[in-house]
């Protein structure tokens, strides 16, 4: 199938986001430096400006039917949060909340009470002792129906815990869940884990882990540590462990003994998993810091065996950096995330890429972008459209640290939430609303969710009405006067002429939550596809389980196809990814939730 595509249009909005062509970013001229402006002001005026309190947001919403702040009503007033995890950690069938109040520290556990519609702090610690981490990842690793958890530590010089990864398996005693450390699960090597992806790369039903490694300050100064692939295995007694399969990453672990470096390693900050070439096998996309190229690892098969390996296709696909970056070894950006999704519903995978960018950076430095997939041929190709912040002062900073694709108003056109954070008071949450013509406009002010220094954006239908609500932390980076806290925004978009289908996967041969599956909903008005992954980006948070499809009220569902992440064999004993189609009734009003299984 040959699809015709055009560059995405990013509409100019009040927040100062400006579209630029894919051939190169557009930079406004700077007539005066910020220092010159400050020197021109009297000292008394400067002191007066310093006393003006920062409006940390949100500003008053212009759209009263969008989001309402329900933080106090749900019991989370005065709670501090940096990372958020929407998971059913206690196994009662209701999704709860786990938070990391600091960038490195112990987790706090909350349960959601359906009767009182409030989050209630747990009266015990599931770990038993104080256990610190930089971020977490919840999944059912041993397939017993309970969520286990991996704790990760970035392992920089200032951190005390020298275990980069720790696996805790969940057990339940009565109504209480306890996490039991599995000391044999990972090796004892120290490496700087900035992110991880949950992936079943060989489709055997056991989850594997791809580790994004940042700069290794412990051993090699500011040298990059190679990324790693850990394969999940069970021994005869059922004990779970992860063995190093990093040699499946072609060339990544080649070592130069003379220079004592890994020449192909880059400082990876963000990881996302996605079936980019849509061959049924999950691929890996990574975001790199300090001008290094972003990576696109495609999951391929060895020609003379059934073994899987990953080959890097960043340059060939135009994924790695913009056109100007091709002329410099460090011509990329300071990338925080690469997040995949078929945003324009044409059957071809696209990406959103988040960057750290300053007004004084050169044109060769990458800026935040939408990478629109161009064709279904191999390897895929992307058309890059960059955007940047410009508030008219000639001095600004942009730090797009994480993002979430989510259809906020369930109109079948997926929107994009971006954590533009770290440079208060101007760095605020961005809510890109996608129009029917696939253009995007920042409506965060209209929606009343334009927080300063957002952190840990998560989507969660906590009140079970079919509309995805938002749980977002706020941090005090670069301004200690900001009081860190958590916000809960209830989605109140109207269901007029619309409805929502929520799909949850349960695997018996595939991994329990169907991580790595692609779900394709075909209707009489279009085809919509989504990839199952709930944790993405650098130092990630975790979204609620389930895929939400916004449909028109009279839209008829023809079929649902799930490309499950496990292999079946044909009559010739050849393995292929299992695909199954399902029939789901279109006759429902507002909201319907279905669970699809692979058996």
């Amino acid at each position: 199938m040959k699809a015709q595509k055009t560059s995405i249009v990013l509409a100019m909005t009040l927040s100062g986001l400006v579209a630029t062509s894919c051939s190169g970013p557009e930079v406004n001229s700077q007539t005066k430096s910020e220092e010159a402006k400050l020197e021109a002001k009297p000292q008394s005026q400067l002191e007066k400006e310093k006393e003006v309190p920062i409006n940390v947001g949100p500003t008053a919403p212009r759209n009263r039917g969008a989001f309402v702040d329900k933080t106090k009503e749900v019991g989370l007033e005065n709670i501090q949060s940096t990372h958020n995890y929407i998971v059913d950690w206690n196994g009662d069938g209701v999704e709860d909340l786990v938070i990391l109040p600091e960038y490195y520290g112990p987790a706090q556990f909350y349960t959601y009470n359906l009767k009182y519609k409030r989050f209630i702090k747990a009266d015990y610690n599931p770990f038993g002792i104080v256990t610190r981490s930089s971020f977490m990842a919840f999944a059912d690793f041993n397939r017993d129906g309970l969520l286990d958890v991996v704790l990760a530590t970035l392992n920089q010089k200032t951190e005390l815990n020298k275990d980069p990864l720790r696996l805790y398996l969940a057990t339940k005693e009565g109504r209480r869940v306890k996490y039991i450390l599995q000391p044999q699960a990972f090796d004892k090597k120290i490496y700087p884990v900035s992110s991880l992806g949950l992936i079943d790369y060989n489709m055997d039903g056991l989850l594997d882990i791809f580790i994004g490694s940042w700069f290794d300050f412990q051993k090699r100064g500011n040298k990059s540590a190679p990324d790693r692939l850990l394969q999940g295995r069970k021994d005869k007694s059922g004990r779970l462990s992860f063995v190093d399969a990093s040699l499946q990453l072609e060339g990544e672990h080649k070592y130069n003994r003379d220079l004592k470096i890994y020449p192909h390693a880059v400082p990876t900050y963000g990881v996302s998993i996605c079936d980019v070439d849509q061959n049924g096998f999950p691929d890996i996309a990574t975001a790199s810091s300090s001008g290094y190229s972003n990576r696109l690892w495609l999951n391929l098969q060895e020609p003379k065996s059934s073994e899987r390996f990953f080959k890097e296709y960043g340059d060939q696909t135009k994924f790695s950096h913009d056109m100007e970056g091709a002329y410099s070894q460090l011509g990329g950006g300071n990338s925080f995330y690469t997040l995949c999704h078929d945003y324009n519903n044409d059957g071809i995978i696209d990406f959103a890429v988040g960057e750290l960018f300053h007004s004084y950076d050169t044109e060769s430095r990458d800026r935040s972008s939408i990478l629109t997939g161009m064709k279904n041929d191999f390897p895929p190709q992307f058309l890059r459209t960059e955007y940047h912040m410009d508030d008219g002062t000639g001095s600004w900073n942009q730090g797009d640290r994480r993002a979430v694709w989510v259809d906020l108003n369930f109109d079948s056109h997926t929107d994009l939430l971006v954590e533009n954070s770290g440079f208060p008071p101007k760095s605020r949450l961005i809510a890109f609303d996608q129009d029917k013509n696939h253009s995007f406009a920042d409506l965060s002010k209209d929606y009343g969710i334009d927080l300063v220094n957002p952190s840990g954006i998560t989507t969660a239908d906590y009140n079970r009405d079919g509309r995805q609500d938002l749980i977002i932390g706020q941090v005090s980076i670069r301004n200690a006067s900001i009081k860190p806290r958590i916000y809960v925004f209830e989605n109140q978009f109207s269901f007029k002429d619309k409805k929502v289908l929520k799909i949850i996967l349960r695997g018996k041969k595939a991994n329990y939550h169907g991580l790595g599956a692609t779900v394709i909903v075909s209707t009489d008005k279009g085809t919509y596809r989504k990839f199952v992954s709930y944790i993405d980006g650098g130092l990630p948070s975790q979204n609620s389980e389930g895929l939400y499809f916004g449909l028109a009220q009279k839209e008829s569902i023809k079929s649902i196809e799930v490309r499950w992440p496990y292999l079946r064999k044909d009559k010739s004993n050849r393995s292929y990814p299992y695909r199954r189609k399902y029939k789901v009734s279109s006759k429902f009003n507002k909201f319907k939730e279905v669970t699809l299984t692979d058996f």
Side-chain angles (χ1 to χ4, degrees):
M1 180 179 73
K2 198 122 179 164
Q4 295 199 356
K5 294 220 174 182
T6 58
S7 173
I8 191 171
V9 178
L10 295 170
M12 182 180 291
T13 64
L14 293 174
S15 64
L17 288 165
V18 181
T20 62
S21 71
C22 59
S23 61
E26 182 178 295
V27 181
N28 288 355
S29 61
Q30 185 172 343
T31 57
K32 287 186 178 182
S33 67
E34 190 69 6
E35 292 79 8
K37 292 179 181 179
L38 292 175
E39 290 174 0
K41 296 180 179 180
Q43 184 65 26
S44 59
Q45 183 180 348
L46 290 174
E47 292 176 356
K48 185 177 180 179
E49 288 180 355
K50 290 180 181 179
E51 295 174 358
V52 176
I54 295 176
N55 177 19
V56 298
T59 55
R62 297 182 179 88
N63 185 340
R64 298 291 176 180
F67 290 93
V68 175
D69 186 349
K70 293 286 186 177
T71 311
K72 182 178 180 179
E73 287 83 346
V74 300
L76 295 177
E77 188 179 26
N78 298 320
I79 301 300
Q80 178 176 333
S81 178
T82 298
H83 301 310
N84 303 304
Y85 304 83
I86 312 299
V87 291
D88 179 18
W89 65 268
N90 61 355
D92 65 352
V94 179
E95 285 194 312
D96 309 304
L97 172 66
V98 183
I99 65 174
L100 283 177
E102 307 283 351
Y103 280 102
Y104 177 72
Q108 294 181 3
F109 290 79
Y110 291 79
T111 61
Y112 186 72
N113 187 294
L114 288 174
K115 180 180 179 180
Y116 298 104
K117 298 181 180 180
R118 292 173 66 88
F119 290 98
I120 300 173
K121 190 173 183 180
D123 59 0
Y124 72 101
N125 177 8
F127 291 110
I129 60 174
V130 174
T131 307
R132 295 177 172 83
S133 64
S134 301
F135 66 91
M136 302 180 288
F138 289 84
D140 184 5
F141 289 97
N142 59 356
R143 304 164 61 94
D144 64 354
L146 292 174
L147 282 179
D148 313 304
V149 60
V150 169
L151 271 59
T153 303
L154 186 56
N155 270 313
Q156 299 303 297
K157 287 184 177 181
T158 57
E159 291 174 337
L160 300 178
N161 183 2
K162 301 305 179 185
D163 294 320
L165 293 175
R166 287 159 288 161
L167 173 65
Y168 289 82
L169 296 182
T171 62
K172 199 165 187 178
E173 299 177 5
R175 294 184 177 181
R176 291 197 168 192
V177 165
K178 293 184 178 180
Y179 289 119
I180 308 300
L181 177 64
Q182 307 298 302
Q184 83 291 338
F186 300 107
D187 60 35
K188 297 303 180 181
K189 295 179 181 178
I190 297 176
Y191 39 91
V193 182
S194 58
S195 183
L196 62 80
L198 301 178
I199 180 174
D200 183 2
Y201 84 94
N202 56 359
M203 314 272 270
D204 65 353
L206 288 176
L207 284 173
D208 313 309
I209 298 177
F210 178 87
I211 298 171
S213 298
W214 204 43
F215 287 111
D216 190 346
F217 293 106
Q218 293 280 351
K219 295 181 179 179
R220 286 179 283 276
N222 62 349
K223 299 295 190 301
S224 303
D227 295 338
R228 303 182 71 194
L229 179 64
L230 304 181
Q231 183 180 342
R233 288 187 182 176
K234 275 187 177 181
D235 61 19
K236 293 181 180 179
S237 65
R239 187 174 64 174
L240 182 65
S241 63
F242 293 87
V243 299
D244 198 328
S246 300
L247 293 180
Q248 307 306 110
L249 304 172
E250 187 177 78
E252 179 71 1
H253 281 254
K254 181 180 179 181
Y255 186 66
N256 187 316
R257 296 184 180 277
D258 295 330
L259 299 178
K260 297 183 179 180
I261 62 170
Y262 293 91
H264 298 299
V266 298
T268 297
Y269 191 81
V271 171
S272 62
I273 308 299
C274 185
D275 184 7
V276 182
D277 54 4
Q278 300 191 73
N279 63 354
F281 291 88
D283 308 304
I284 303 166
T286 67
S288 304
S289 300
S290 302
Y292 287 88
S293 297
N294 296 332
R295 301 281 194 82
L296 185 60
W297 295 98
L298 298 185
N299 190 339
L300 307 176
Q301 181 176 331
E302 294 282 1
K304 297 182 179 180
S305 72
S306 60
E307 288 291 318
R308 308 299 301 183
F309 76 101
F310 290 88
K311 184 177 178 65
E312 208 281 302
Y313 277 89
D315 286 337
Q316 295 94 317
T317 59
K318 298 181 176 62
F319 178 87
S320 56
H321 43 64
D322 64 18
M323 293 178 64
E324 287 81 0
Y327 303 103
S328 172
Q329 185 179 1
L330 299 178
N334 284 300
S335 305
F336 285 117
Y337 66 83
T338 58
L339 188 63
C340 86
H341 181 60
D342 178 16
Y343 77 84
N344 52 7
N345 297 326
D346 68 349
I348 305 173
I349 296 300
D350 316 298
F351 276 90
V353 180
E355 304 282 349
L356 170 64
F357 190 83
H358 311 283
S359 58
Y360 52 80
D361 282 337
T362 65
E363 291 192 9
S364 63
R365 183 66 70 192
D366 286 2
R367 307 183 185 192
S368 296
S369 308
I370 301 294
L371 304 186
T372 303
M374 295 296 294
K375 59 180 182 178
N376 272 325
D377 298 338
F378 185 90
Q381 295 289 318
F382 298 98
L383 177 67
R384 178 181 297 260
T385 303
E386 298 184 325
Y387 65 88
H388 66 273
M389 177 77 72
D390 187 346
D391 61 359
T393 64
S395 178
W396 46 266
N397 304 281
Q398 183 173 336
D400 295 341
R401 298 176 181 272
R402 271 188 74 251
V404 177
W405 287 107
V406 53
D407 187 357
L408 295 173
N409 55 0
F410 35 94
D411 62 354
S412 77
H413 301 293
T414 309
D415 312 307
L416 181 65
L417 294 177
V418 180
E419 292 178 14
N420 178 21
S421 188
F423 302 97
K426 299 177 182 179
S427 58
R428 292 176 176 267
L429 184 147
I430 300 170
F432 278 130
D433 175 78
Q434 184 183 177
D435 203 349
K436 293 180 180 179
N437 65 354
H438 306 305
S439 65
F440 287 82
D442 179 15
L443 299 185
S444 56
K445 287 185 179 181
D446 295 56
Y447 294 166
I449 57 176
D450 60 326
L451 304 177
V452 167
N453 277 1
S455 179
I457 293 178
T458 48
T459 58
D461 180 17
Y462 74 89
N463 56 1
R464 296 186 167 194
D465 65 355
R467 294 175 282 201
Q468 294 186 79
D469 312 303
L470 306 177
I471 298 181
I472 308 171
Q474 184 176 54
V475 294
S476 58
I477 296 176
R478 291 189 174 89
N479 193 313
S481 67
I482 299 174
K483 182 180 179 182
R485 56 163 294 185
I486 195 171
Y487 284 87
V488 178
F489 292 108
E490 184 179 284
N491 189 330
Q492 295 190 350
F493 277 99
S494 171
F495 274 103
K496 182 180 179 180
D497 299 326
K498 293 181 289 188
K499 59 186 177 183
V500 175
L501 174 67
K502 178 183 178 182
I503 297 176
I504 292 176
L505 300 186
R506 285 290 176 264
K508 183 176 182 180
K509 294 185 178 180
N511 66 82
Y512 184 76
H513 294 280
L515 297 175
T518 298
V519 178
I520 304 172
V521 176
S522 298
T523 75
D524 59 346
K525 292 189 176 182
T527 301
Y528 319 103
R529 68 189 61 218
K530 295 187 177 181
F531 186 82
V532 182
S533 178
Y534 305 120
I535 180 168
D536 300 276
L539 305 179
S541 294
Q542 188 163 340
N543 292 315
S544 172
E545 184 184 17
L547 304 179
Y548 291 75
F549 294 85
L551 305 171
Q553 187 63 238
K554 295 182 179 180
E555 193 166 356
S556 177
I557 302 172
K558 293 182 177 180
S559 68
I560 299 175
E561 178 183 321
V562 179
R563 299 175 179 177
W564 286 94
Y566 83 89
L567 298 177
R568 299 189 74 176
K569 292 185 181 295
D570 60 17
K571 294 180 180 179
S572 300
N573 204 36
R574 293 174 298 189
S575 298
Y576 63 96
Y578 176 51
R579 300 185 180 189
R580 181 175 178 181
K581 286 194 174 183
Y582 305 79
K583 287 288 186 180
V584 174
S585 174
S586 305
K587 297 179 180 180
F588 64 93
N589 184 37
K590 292 185 179 180
F591 176 56
K592 181 174 185 175
E593 179 180 315
V594 298
T595 299
L596 305 179
T597 67
D598 63 359
F599 51 90

